[in-house]
Amino acid sequence: MSEPAFRPQAWLAADLDQDRSWVHRLSADAVAGVEAALAAAKQSDKPMLEMTADDFPLNAAARDALTRAFDATQGRFGLCLLKGFPVERWSEDDARLAYWGIGLHVGVARTQNRASNVMTDVRNEGGSYKTKNGRGYNTNAGLDFHMDSCDVVALLCLQTAKSGGESKIVSSMALRDAIAREHPELIPVLQSPYFHSYQGTQDPAQPPFYRCPILGSDDTYFSFRTNRKNTTAAQRDFDDVPRLSDAQSEALDLLDTLMPDPVYCFSMWLERGDLQLLNNYVILHSRTNFEDHDEPERRRHLLRLWLAIPGSQPLPPEWREYYGDVRPGAVRGGVRGSAITEAFLDYERRQAQRMKMPLGL
């Protein structure tokens, strides 16, 4: 992956409205390249975890489109919306295979849940969000602002909802700047230790919670991580977690006020064939609740990959407890869950070597 022209910068909602350079569209040649690669992958009939990028042979147009899109996540706005994947022509199995093949060209997929899945279905499966060990991706609930446990979260839209499900994003750099202006005393508070619940997604050998400051300490490489639901869960569920100080609660309350403010919060509708890419260290995301169509095949459905990418930034040392590795371009993040397989570990080693990414310390 090429070096981005510049690092992420703070933005307001109006900036994304006025400068649409973060929206890319696949050319006809790139679409043809993806479909040809899909046909080749289907012919090989390999299990996904045994595939390499050679089994999904993209043409130059498709490779260049992906490179530009992922480079954009490390640049000015920290995001990209890549439009035009022909999902209307694909079966659900084809979409999964194509999406996995795309991921093989850009990074190392991370496991995402208790079942240690490397690709998850974002759709309403009757789950509960704000309950013990609840997750948002399998519900139709509106979500708190949060970030995912990887360098880049990638969402491919297969079906839209009957109503609702609007995507919301905010620049965490802009939030930091606003707090520094109005409440500078809370900046060191955000850099103090906060404890968060794994919501049951940890490896069985790990404790059920982890320590990670919300705001990183590195002045050169900005990093911000918050999910109040998980912070509240740690306070509620674990007696041995230190209690939040009044100042820490005040900082969380202030974030809850700022994040949905239309000055900071940008809303977008994902359409079929859209691939949304977000840099998790500089962007928080959310969505509104939604109502599905009655027909199962028309219900809102996105596919999610959590990716470690070779062009990622270094992370602050105090984030090592959660991420495992804070070196730039390292394989890191994800939640291990309880079902890591040898097939996944083989994939992880092979893909890290292919991408020239450090794996393990």
Side-chain angles (χ1 to χ4, degrees):
M1 188 171 293
S2 62
E3 180 71 17
F6 41 82
R7 295 196 189 107
Q9 302 171 41
W11 51 259
L12 303 178
D15 297 322
L16 294 192
D17 262 331
Q18 293 163 9
D19 181 350
R20 308 292 287 187
S21 60
W22 52 277
V23 181
H24 298 189
R25 183 172 290 276
L26 289 172
S27 67
D29 284 347
V31 171
V34 172
E35 298 221 274
L38 173 59
K42 291 171 71 172
Q43 188 69 28
S44 74
D45 200 31
K46 281 188 178 180
M48 287 202 311
L49 287 175
E50 293 181 13
M51 290 173 59
T52 71
D54 294 336
D55 299 308
F56 199 82
L58 291 171
N59 65 8
R63 290 196 308 271
D64 290 348
L66 289 175
T67 297
R68 289 193 300 270
F70 276 83
D71 281 354
T73 67
Q74 307 304 298
R76 165 70 176 99
F77 293 121
L79 76 147
C80 183
L81 185 66
L82 181 55
K83 302 178 73 70
F85 288 93
V87 299
E88 71 283 352
R89 298 201 288 266
W90 297 344
S91 68
E92 189 173 307
D93 286 343
D94 285 351
R96 292 179 194 282
L97 183 57
Y99 197 31
W100 183 253
I102 288 165
L104 290 171
H105 285 269
V106 295
V108 181
R110 315 311 298 137
T111 46
Q112 303 182 33
N113 52 22
R114 274 169 279 182
S116 305
N117 296 132
V118 291
M119 184 185 298
T120 54
D121 295 282
V122 180
R123 59 184 170 190
N124 182 21
E125 296 177 337
S128 298
Y129 178 45
K130 291 198 173 180
T131 58
K132 184 172 182 178
N133 293 341
R135 304 284 300 280
Y137 66 88
N138 60 0
T139 78
N140 67 344
L143 306 182
D144 290 347
F145 281 92
H146 64 284
M147 68 297 102
D148 290 327
S149 303
C150 56
D151 298 331
V152 173
V153 55
L155 285 169
L156 178 65
C157 183
L158 304 185
Q159 295 285 351
T160 59
K162 180 179 179 180
S163 63
E166 188 176 27
S167 177
K168 294 180 174 292
I169 59 174
V170 62
S171 165
S172 46
M173 302 180 85
L175 298 179
R176 185 276 315 270
D177 291 349
I179 293 170
R181 286 193 306 270
E182 302 298 330
H183 296 277
E185 74 282 1
L186 292 181
I187 293 297
V189 175
L190 290 169
Q191 294 175 320
S192 67
Y194 281 77
F195 288 79
H196 318 271
S197 171
Y198 273 111
Q199 298 287 50
T201 62
Q202 74 276 9
D203 182 285
Q206 293 177 293
F209 56 84
Y210 61 94
R211 174 178 48 195
C212 185
I214 290 173
L215 176 62
S217 60
D218 193 319
D219 291 334
T220 302
Y221 292 94
F222 179 88
S223 49
F224 197 93
R225 176 177 180 78
T226 187
N227 185 343
R228 190 162 193 176
K229 181 175 74 73
N230 292 355
T231 310
T232 299
Q235 296 288 305
R236 179 193 65 216
D237 297 336
F238 308 117
D239 292 338
D240 45 349
V241 165
R243 300 299 93 181
L244 291 171
S245 69
D246 290 344
Q248 286 179 314
S249 294
E250 180 185 355
L252 293 175
D253 289 343
L254 180 56
L255 285 173
D256 284 346
T257 299
L258 292 173
M259 289 185 291
D261 188 319
V263 171
Y264 302 102
C265 178
F266 182 81
S267 299
M268 71 175 87
W269 292 101
L270 299 184
E271 301 175 330
R272 295 186 73 190
D274 283 357
L275 176 60
Q276 184 192 60
L277 305 172
L278 303 177
N279 179 333
N280 281 299
Y281 308 127
V282 299
I283 288 182
L284 302 171
H285 64 276
S286 177
R287 70 145 195 254
T288 62
N289 60 354
F290 64 88
E291 178 188 0
D292 264 327
H293 292 279
D294 293 333
E295 305 90 332
E297 69 276 7
R298 296 182 64 200
R299 292 177 181 170
R300 186 181 191 269
H301 187 192
L302 296 85
L303 296 177
R304 185 176 71 181
L305 286 175
W306 285 357
L307 293 163
I309 64 169
S312 67
Q313 66 179 58
L315 296 178
E318 60 270 19
W319 282 25
R320 183 176 288 111
E321 178 178 331
Y322 184 72
Y323 281 94
D325 200 326
V326 297
R327 293 173 293 174
V331 177
R332 62 193 181 198
V335 291
R336 298 301 275 183
S338 56
I340 294 289
T341 63
E342 283 301 320
F344 170 76
L345 295 175
D346 287 345
Y347 153 79
E348 189 178 49
R349 287 189 289 266
R350 184 175 61 248
Q351 185 68 0
Q353 184 176 21
R354 173 113 188 191
M355 303 299 296
K356 298 181 172 57
M357 297 174 65
L359 174 63
L361 294 173

